[in-house]
Structures are given as structure tokens and as C-alpha cells.
Amino acid sequence: MANMIPNQHNSELFIFFSQLLGEKIIDPRGNSVGRLLDLIVNIDETYPHVTGAMLRLEKNRKIRLFSSQGFYFTDGHFTASFADDDLPPDKELAASELMLKEALLDKQVVDTDGAKIRRVNDLQFLIANNELYLVHVDVGFHGLLRRVGLKTLFGFVLRALFDYEMSDQLISWKFVQMISSPDLLQLTIAQNRLGQLHPADLADIIEDLDIHQRKAVFNALDVETAAETLEETDPKVQVSLIEGLSTEDASDIIEEMSLSEAADLLGDLSPEKVEGILNEMEKDAADDMKELLAHPEEKAGGLMTTAYPSFSPNCTVAEALQAIRADADDLDLIYYSYVVDEQEHILGVVSLRELLAAEPEAALSGIMDTRVIFVNVEEKKGQIADDFFKYGLQAIPVVDDDEQLKGVILFKNLLEVIAAKLGR
Amino acid sequence: MGNAVNKRVGGFLHAFFGARRWRKLWLFFALIGPGIITSNVDNDAGGITTYSLAGADYGLSLLWTLIPITGVLIVIQEMCARMGVVSGKGLSDLIRERFGARITFYLMIALFLTNLGNTISEFAGIAASMEIFGVSRYISVPVSAAFVWWLVVKGNYKSVEKVFLFACVIYFSYIISGFMGNPDWSAVGSAFLTPVFRMDAGFLAMVVALVGTTIAPWMQFYLQSSVVDKGLKADDYPFTRLDVIFGSVMVNVIAFFIILLCAMTLFKNGIRIESAVDAAQALAPLAGQYAALLFAFGLLNASLFAASILPISTAYTICEAFGWESSLDRKFLQAPQFYSLYTLMIFLGAGIILMPDMPLIRIMFYSQVINGALLPVILVFMLLLVNDKRIMGKYVNGPIMNGISWFTVAVLTLLSLAMIFFSLLGT
């Protein structure tokens, strides 16, 4: 194309992968060396640049890999700097390199910006200094039609009938996480973008993936993110993810989860697996877990957590705050502190707001609220949800038949019951 | 609560069978579903019509074909289920990733048209069978379309599967009505075991139709997706295989009884019929009012069942291939393509039946032709995929399995081409 100032024309700055695939590569003498089958990029870079190409040779139909040093890119075409009878040696694929068509085109990727799984219809390169850089992944219908060869026809019909102009749906490479094969995920672990996602979004994505991708994505997460994600995942998927892990890894992740969520998960696993995981855990945590596991899931005892602050009545505000600060990482609840006697009977409750507002040397017995709302361990979900609504609480303590404090139910753990009541 | 019940039943089974055995039995019940449902959906309005015609026109002489048909069905479905279990992906997913956008695009258009044709014939089946019970199609079709919509949009996979498994049980009405025809069992036995082959066009066309109605393109997509949806793993595979075999046998047992009933009554008395509804009406004076009603009820169940599954399966398959959101958990605006396709299928399927002077027979006929034309293409893709080591690993077809399946594909391709040829000849 005879454009005198090509770089000022927008469309000449970018080129689609589908426009390049199958193109003839011409050598300096004007002979065709072969056709382009695939491009190789180095994915360690923020915007990977093309480092090689796969060609089907013109003369003997053989498939070979060449380094990009043998090519330059001008006027929308690759030109080979070698002659078709003097071929450079085969290129070896480095660990950080991958074949674009094989690894990306038509495959699923995670769009970490939109927190969605998308299918790749096309790839877009930026042309700079006669080199190509992978900058966008095309996931739109427009791109699909381009691949199919119906873009012009559809575009014409839509313009004529609806005055509608189709546009590309491009995702910046910065927000793309490849998932198509387990090896790929290992390869890109250095620039793992899954950590940018909210655990709830990650959980949705994991549920939408197939079994193998699920495993690969889950294993690529650090322990903390894995635990947070697991808390948000559907129980059935939780079980399959945990059963695929070694007992050791599983117990590491489960220890990071909140007690009540972890107990629910263990309740769904096979007894042998649970025993193995409990053996791997620290003794205190394992004991807490066993106590929670003894309660049926749909009653108060099965919903509660045992990681909450409790103090004796003569403990001072300063001491209580100090203790909460020290244990905060392991507590599922810090908003309420419960005041108990030696036999763990509930005497009163103090909110964090009250602790902060009170004088440091005041005793808890002086500031606590003695009208404590609590439920029995045998109480059912529906009634507990009603209590939450009625009293506007963030958490409800759970007591046994002797009115000893056993645990606390967080509002969060009843969300699924409440959501059902709201007609969700 | 479900858990508590599971535990109680488990305890009972435990006491009864001993630990290891009950575990296996329980696993089997937990893992069945996809194979049985897929096979039974296949006994839809078109299938029942074909079996009725086979019995009414050719008596017992076509019964033997059910033996090889069962074998072929098992071979084909086993491959699909294996691909689903091993790859964890649906068939359209695999086709897109392996063969690219262009092939997938045209394949999906063909699949959409075929399935739309099938859906129309299911609603035709609903309209016709309800008219036997004295309900106008202007009531039955909109109500059932609304029911189908509600069932799928409001249910989840687990609850919908239970409804479907229950629907499978209703197919036994055909077995009961089969017995009501008072069959001559010795004649049935010898007809079943001695192949008869005639080289006249009508007979051949009927054989082709029997095979064609039993193995449809959409089934492969549906079976594989539901295996994947159920989250089945490679360890579960032996159970999945049992599920597939059980389903394939069951569908042909039902077919056997439909052919039997029509042969023993309509063929014997020289009554000619055009459709499954004709069969139901003609049965009353010969096999009794109850047999006729059971037959019509079976047709209603089959049509309703298939009308529930076809639109949803089509929408899933297409969205999966193109990477569109495809979940019923999402709201309309979050998955617009999915809901549009789903709605379009039900709307057109039910709507076309309600339009006066619609050439229903021709629509069903053309959908059958596209079905036949699409099947070999899908089967070839399936065989290429199931032999791809990168996808299947050690679960690729062995040489014997490959021999059987390529032979099957070749025969099916010939039969499909023959069916198209005969169909075009017939018009």
C-alpha cells in the first residue's frame, strides 16, 4: 500500500493475527519461501514481541521454525531476509516462548479486568520499528466473523437494516491470563494475574472451568488466596478441588480458611481424607475443628465458629483491646467480645465500638450489655435468620443446654439462608 | 437435610450389602443419569413415529435391526462419554479448539437449524397427543412451552435431572401397552433373532430411518455436556460406561415394544397409518382403550421431555463454542446470547405449530434430512478428537475400538446418504 506516512494512520499501527496466518513470506528476490502457520512470542514481556515463526516451506511442504531475526515487517507483510535456497537453522523454543495459534487462538482465557472467561477469536499486534508486539486479545463477535470470513457481509446487513456499526471487543494483554493447558499456567506463574481478582470472582471463574483447568488455576494460587477463593466456591467444587490435593497442601489451605467454612468443607469430605487433614493441622486448630464437626450442618452448632474473643468480667478495656489486637489474625469475629464466668456462662456482651469509646482502665463488667441474645446449639437456620433480622445483629452467640457459650454464628454464614428469604 | 437422608439410606444399604459393595452400588446411583437421559430423549416424537410406522408397515420383520442399532448406539455414545470424562470439555468446545472458528461457525448454524426442526416436531407431538385427550393445541402448546421454560430457568441441574429421570420411567407405558396387544411370543422371538432383508426401496428407507432416528447429532453434544456438567472424573468412568450401556439398551427395549404393539395390531389388520397419533387412535378398537391412551400418553411424555432438552442443549452448545456466557445462574443481560437462543428455539418451536396451514410434515422431513447430513460430519470430528493423544492421553481408542468405530461411521454415513436420497426421492 502506498501510504507515505503510515504511522499516522491508525489502522496501520495494528494488525490482526488472522490477517497474517496463511500469508506467503517473500524473500528479497521475490520468491515465496513458504506460508505462515504460527507465530512465536516471548511471554515474559509485558507486551510479548514476536520472536519467531512457523512456516510451511514452499519447496518441500515441510514445517519449520525460524527465528524472527530472519524476518522484518513492512507494509503489513513479513519479508524474509534469507533466500529460499539458503535457509537459516531451525529455531529451538525457549522456556518463556510459546506458539500463539496453538496456545491461544480459539482457546479460553481469563479476562482479569472483567473477571470473566472469554474465548479468543483473534489476536491484535502493535507494529513498532518493524516488529510486532502482542497487545490485544479479540473476544468479540466482530472478530469471530472476521475469522469466518463473513465480516463484510454481516457488517453490510447490520448497517443497511439497523444502521448499526459493529465494533471490536478487545482486551489488553495486561489483563489476560492463559489457562488452556496446565503447563502454560506453570509457565506464566511469574506474571500470574489471577491474584488481581477478587476471591469471589475467582470462585465464579473456577466454577465455570473444566475439571483440569480448575485444578491448574487453583494450584497456581498462593495459600491465602486459595483459602479465600475456596470459601466462596460451591461445596461440590470445593470437595473436588480439595480431594485433588495432597493431605499436606489441603491442610495448609484449610487452616487459612475461617473455622466455620472449613468445618462445613470437612463435613463433605470422605472420613479418611478428613482424618489425614486433621492430623496435619496444629493440635489446637484440629481440636476446634473436631468440636464443630460434631454438630449437624443445618443447626446452630454447625454454623458457628469458635474463633471469637471472650473475657472475664474483671478484665479491663485496655487488656481486652490488647488481647484482641494480639489474636486478630486468628479471630473470625472481632466486633463483639463476650464476657463469661469461669464455667463459660454468658454474662454480657461488649461491642468493639464500646471498647474504643470506654476508658482504658474500666472493667468490662461495668460497660457490658447484659441483655444478650443467644441461641441453642440445636436451633435451626430459619429461626436464627429471624433473630438476626429482629435484633439487627452482626453475630449471635451459641450456647449448650447448660447455657455455656460454645461458639458464635456470623451474619455472613447465614447469608445463603437469608438470600433465599429475599427471593434470590 | 438431603445429607441426613443420604446417610440413613447409606446405613441401610451398608447393613444389607456390606461396606465395599454398598459403596459401589451407591456410587452407581450417584453417577448415572447422563447416559440414560440422553438415550431416552432420543425416543422423541420422531422416534416413536418411526417405530410405529416400522411395526404397522412391516410387522415383526424389522425387529432384528434393533440388535445392531443398540450396538452402534453404545459404541458412539461410549466415545462421547469418554471424551467428556477425560477432557472435562463439551464436544463443541473441543471442536472449536481443535478445528478452529470457521468450521465451528458453520457447524453450529447447521446444528441450530437441525435442532430447531426437531424442536418443532416435538411441539407437534405435544399438540397431536393432547388432542387425543381432547385438549386443543392452542392451549396445550403455549402451556407446555411455558412449562418447559419454567422447568429449566427455575431449576438447577440436579433437580432437572431428577424430573428427567422420572420422565424416563414413564416410557414404561409403552411396555405395558405392548403387553396389552397380546403378542404371540414365539413369533416375536423368531422374528427378533432371524434377520430378514429385502431389497425394495420402502424397506431400505425404513431401515435407514430406524438407524437415523436412533443416532442424532445433537445427542453427542448433549451427552458429553451433561457428563461434564455432572463433574464426572476418569475414576468414575466404569460407572459412566454402565450408564451409557444401560441407557442404550433401555431405549431399544422401548422401541421393541412399540414396533411389537403396532405389528401385532395394526399390521395384522392391514391398517395404514401416517403418524404416531394415527397409531394411538387406531389401537383403541384392536388393543383396547387403555392401550391407546397409554400410547398417546407415552408420546406426550416423550415430546415434552425432548422439547425441554433440545432448546437448552442447543443454547449451551452454541454458547460454549463461541465463548458466550451460558449459565442459567446469570441474569438475562449477563448472558444475552444464551437466553436469546434458548427463547428463540422455544418461541419458534411452539409458534410454528400454532400457525395455520404450516406444512408440518415437510418441516419434520427437512429437519430429518439435515439431521442425516450432519451426523457423519459430527462422527468424523468425534473420531479425530477421540484419537488425539493431546486431548485423550492414554484414553484414545485402541485399534479394535477404532476398527469398529470407523466401520460404524462408514456404515452410518452410507445409511445417512441413503436416507437423504430416499427422502428426496419421496418428495
Side-chain angles (χ1 to χ4, degrees):
Chain A
M1 211 181 290
N3 196 327
M4 297 315 286
I5 32 173
N7 280 358
Q8 286 180 4
H9 194 278
N10 203 27
S11 67
E12 307 248 320
L13 266 176
F14 294 101
I15 191 159
F16 282 109
F17 194 26
S18 59
Q19 293 172 283
L20 294 169
L21 283 174
E23 282 274 292
K24 270 188 187 161
I25 310 284
I26 310 291
D27 74 3
R29 292 181 300 192
N31 295 335
S32 165
V33 180
R35 280 177 191 276
L36 186 72
L37 292 187
D38 207 339
L39 285 175
I40 301 163
V41 295
N42 179 1
I43 55 161
D44 270 356
E45 299 160 22
T46 323
Y47 291 110
H49 92 279
V50 172
T51 55
M54 183 198 257
L55 301 190
R56 186 193 292 282
L57 297 182
E58 189 74 47
K59 53 179 181 189
N60 56 10
R61 315 287 297 152
K62 279 205 172 115
I63 294 173
R64 291 203 37 198
L65 296 185
F66 295 108
S67 157
S68 67
Q69 275 130 29
F71 301 97
Y72 50 96
F73 193 81
T74 43
D75 292 341
H77 300 284
F78 276 113
T79 307
S81 47
F82 51 83
D84 65 335
D85 51 3
D86 181 26
L87 300 175
D90 245 7
K91 179 184 166 58
E92 297 280 327
L93 224 53
S96 62
E97 287 179 324
L98 65 83
M99 316 275 298
L100 283 182
K101 181 165 185 254
E102 187 191 291
L104 270 170
L105 206 57
D106 293 317
K107 306 293 191 292
Q108 287 183 313
V109 294
V110 176
D111 162 14
T112 57
D113 191 35
K116 264 192 194 136
I117 298 171
R118 313 304 298 253
R119 199 176 279 283
V120 179
N121 291 326
D122 210 343
L123 302 170
Q124 197 184 39
F125 299 97
L126 173 75
I127 306 166
N129 304 326
N130 294 343
E131 289 220 60
L132 294 186
Y133 293 85
L134 175 58
V135 286
H136 288 130
V137 165
D138 186 346
V139 296
F141 192 57
H142 199 213
L144 182 67
L145 289 175
R146 188 183 323 108
R147 292 277 309 287
V148 175
L150 292 175
K151 189 185 81 161
T152 332
L153 177 70
F154 263 74
F156 174 77
V157 170
L158 285 177
R159 254 194 314 277
L161 290 181
F162 305 107
D163 197 19
Y164 178 79
E165 198 71 46
M166 270 194 297
S167 59
D168 283 316
Q169 231 180 314
L170 302 172
I171 303 173
S172 165
W173 178 251
K174 271 196 304 193
F175 299 119
V176 171
Q177 172 72 52
M178 288 183 283
I179 44 170
S180 58
S181 94
D183 323 343
L184 273 181
L185 209 68
Q186 303 255 302
L187 198 69
T188 55
I189 212 144
Q191 45 158 351
N192 195 335
R193 285 144 183 169
L194 295 170
Q196 298 164 4
L197 288 167
H198 189 279
D201 287 330
L202 256 177
D204 279 348
I205 286 172
I206 283 183
E207 283 169 17
D208 282 345
L209 293 172
D210 71 56
I211 329 172
H212 309 289
Q213 293 173 335
R214 253 179 212 168
K215 227 183 251 173
V217 166
F218 188 68
N219 292 346
L221 301 175
D222 60 272
V223 173
E224 202 177 316
T225 318
E228 285 176 325
T229 305
L230 212 53
E231 287 186 10
E232 308 279 351
T233 312
D234 177 77
K236 211 175 89 184
V237 179
Q238 277 184 344
V239 171
S240 80
L241 286 175
I242 283 294
E243 293 207 316
L245 292 176
S246 71
T247 321
E248 220 176 356
D249 291 342
S251 81
D252 285 348
I253 292 174
I254 286 175
E255 269 185 292
E256 287 286 325
M257 291 171 74
S258 82
L259 261 180
S260 55
E261 298 271 358
D264 285 352
L265 169 54
L266 287 185
D268 291 336
L269 295 176
S270 65
E272 305 94 73
K273 189 91 191 174
V274 174
E275 207 183 309
I277 290 172
L278 287 177
N279 285 338
E280 285 283 335
M281 285 170 71
E282 284 174 38
K283 194 177 173 308
D284 286 353
D287 287 346
D288 283 348
M289 200 67 82
K290 278 179 202 157
E291 155 132 38
L292 290 183
L293 278 172
H295 297 285
E297 215 175 294
E298 69 275 12
K299 294 189 175 164
L303 289 165
M304 69 188 188
T305 172
T306 51
Y308 58 88
S310 71
F311 302 103
S312 71
N314 44 19
C315 174
T316 67
V317 168
E319 285 166 348
L321 280 172
Q322 178 59 37
I324 292 174
R325 201 173 291 127
D327 291 340
D329 275 352
D330 295 326
L331 293 172
D332 286 343
L333 168 82
I334 58 165
Y335 190 69
Y336 295 126
S337 294
Y338 297 95
V339 181
V340 295
D341 65 14
E342 281 99 63
Q343 286 83 44
E344 297 277 318
H345 294 113
I346 291 199
L347 302 174
V349 58
V350 185
S351 74
L352 190 58
R353 167 195 285 270
E354 287 161 337
L355 281 180
L356 290 173
E359 294 298 326
E361 56 277 7
L364 294 186
S365 56
I367 60 166
M368 69 186 184
D369 189 344
T370 52
R371 297 162 302 175
V372 188
I373 307 299
F374 51 79
V375 296
N376 187 274
V377 283
E378 294 294 316
E379 192 61 84
K380 299 218 172 64
K381 278 181 178 177
Q383 179 59 45
I384 305 169
D386 287 344
D387 284 348
F388 269 109
F389 268 128
K390 182 171 174 193
Y391 299 105
L393 298 166
Q394 314 243 355
I396 287 185
V398 180
V399 299
D400 63 8
D401 293 337
D402 299 328
E403 298 211 342
Q404 281 182 328
L405 182 59
K406 285 290 166 191
V408 175
I409 300 172
L410 306 180
F411 181 69
K412 190 178 92 174
N413 293 349
L414 268 174
L415 268 181
E416 65 176 295
V417 187
I418 292 165
K421 288 188 176 220
L422 294 174
R424 285 287 306 257
Chain B
M1 202 174 85
N3 240 347
V5 173
N6 278 358
K7 272 175 198 150
R8 208 160 298 148
V9 176
F12 167 74
L13 289 169
H14 190 123
F16 204 75
F17 292 103
R20 285 187 71 83
R21 210 178 306 163
W22 100 252
R23 233 189 114 95
K24 280 204 169 155
L25 192 71
W26 189 243
L27 253 175
F28 176 69
F29 282 114
L31 299 178
I32 58 164
I36 293 178
I37 292 175
T38 311
S39 298
N40 276 291
V41 186
D42 187 47
N43 266 348
D44 59 354
I48 292 168
T49 304
T50 311
Y51 302 134
S52 311
L53 288 173
D57 293 355
Y58 296 96
L60 295 171
S61 62
L62 279 165
L63 267 188
W64 66 271
T65 58
L66 294 178
I67 299 174
I69 286 175
T70 309
V72 168
L73 192 60
I74 292 174
V75 169
I76 303 279
Q77 294 212 352
E78 190 274 340
M79 286 194 290
C80 262
R82 181 149 41 100
M83 275 198 280
V85 166
V86 175
S87 72
K89 286 182 178 146
L91 186 56
S92 62
D93 215 339
L94 287 179
I95 290 178
R96 171 74 194 266
E97 296 195 350
R98 168 78 198 269
F99 301 104
R102 190 185 291 249
I103 286 177
T104 313
F105 186 83
Y106 292 110
L107 200 62
M108 289 303 123
I109 290 181
L111 190 75
F112 179 80
L113 292 177
T114 319
N115 291 359
L116 181 62
N118 289 338
T119 308
I120 295 170
S121 66
E122 307 312 339
F123 278 105
I126 293 172
S129 56
M130 286 301 276
E131 269 163 11
I132 291 185
F133 295 106
V135 180
S136 152
R137 67 173 58 185
Y138 294 99
I139 294 167
S140 64
V141 171
V143 167
S144 51
F147 171 73
V148 165
W149 172 281
W150 171 84
L151 180 72
V152 176
V153 173
K154 286 291 168 194
N156 57 32
Y157 182 77
K158 245 189 172 157
S159 62
V160 170
E161 186 181 68
K162 274 178 198 140
V163 174
F164 287 165
L165 279 173
F166 178 71
C168 291
V169 176
I170 299 181
Y171 280 99
F172 286 113
S173 67
Y174 281 118
I175 300 185
I176 303 169
S177 58
F179 275 99
M180 290 169 113
N182 285 325
D184 168 4
W185 288 109
S186 65
V188 172
S190 65
F192 189 50
L193 296 173
T194 41
V196 181
F197 210 81
R198 300 211 307 261
M199 282 311 280
D200 68 84
F203 188 88
L204 274 178
M206 189 50 85
V207 174
V208 171
L210 278 175
V211 178
T213 188
T214 310
I215 302 159
W218 68 267
M219 293 169 64
Q220 326 310 327
F221 292 95
Y222 179 75
L223 175 65
Q224 196 167 331
S225 298
S226 41
V227 164
V228 173
D229 246 29
K230 228 178 158 180
L232 298 177
K233 295 184 293 257
D235 308 344
D236 306 328
Y237 189 63
F239 297 101
T240 310
R241 189 191 306 229
L242 265 183
D243 179 34
V244 163
I245 294 174
F246 190 77
S248 303
V249 171
M250 180 176 166
V251 64
N252 282 296
V253 168
I254 307 293
F256 174 91
F257 279 95
I258 298 173
I259 297 179
L260 181 66
L261 177 65
C262 292
M264 283 297 173
T265 51
L266 308 178
F267 179 72
K268 238 183 199 163
N269 292 284
I271 295 170
R272 301 288 295 179
I273 56 165
E274 291 262 296
S275 68
V277 170
D278 288 353
Q281 277 162 337
L283 279 173
L286 302 167
Q289 187 64 28
Y290 289 113
L293 287 180
L294 270 177
F295 197 92
F297 181 61
L299 177 63
L300 171 67
N301 172 62
S303 312
L304 203 54
F305 190 17
S308 316
I309 285 183
L310 271 169
I312 192 84
S313 152
T314 313
Y316 264 119
T317 304
I318 294 178
C319 289
E320 190 179 71
F322 293 156
W324 293 331
E325 273 310 331
S326 63
S327 172
L328 286 169
D329 302 335
R330 309 257 192 271
K331 296 268 177 325
F332 186 92
L333 284 177
Q334 288 172 307
Q337 299 92 344
F338 176 77
Y339 280 97
S340 307
L341 281 169
Y342 179 61
T343 312
L344 194 68
M345 292 275 290
I346 296 184
F347 185 79
L348 287 179
I352 287 176
I353 298 302
L354 297 180
M355 283 160 75
D357 302 326
M358 246 334 192
L360 290 184
I361 305 273
R362 280 177 81 93
I363 290 174
M364 281 189 235
F365 154 72
Y366 280 116
S367 88
Q368 198 81 331
V369 173
I370 317 178
N371 249 329
L374 192 57
L375 183 64
V377 181
I378 306 274
L379 290 180
V380 169
F381 281 139
M382 273 177 55
L383 271 173
L384 291 176
L385 287 168
V386 86
N387 280 307
D388 189 331
K389 272 221 157 57
R390 282 177 304 177
I391 299 168
M392 299 297 289
K394 62 174 175 163
Y395 293 94
V396 288
N397 271 1
I400 298 174
M401 187 67 185
N402 257 340
I404 298 176
S405 20
W406 278 114
F407 176 75
T408 306
V409 168
V411 172
L412 281 179
T413 308
L414 279 178
L415 286 178
S416 289
L417 289 177
M419 177 159 83
I420 295 169
F421 177 74
F422 283 125
S423 306
L424 292 175
L425 214 66
T427 41

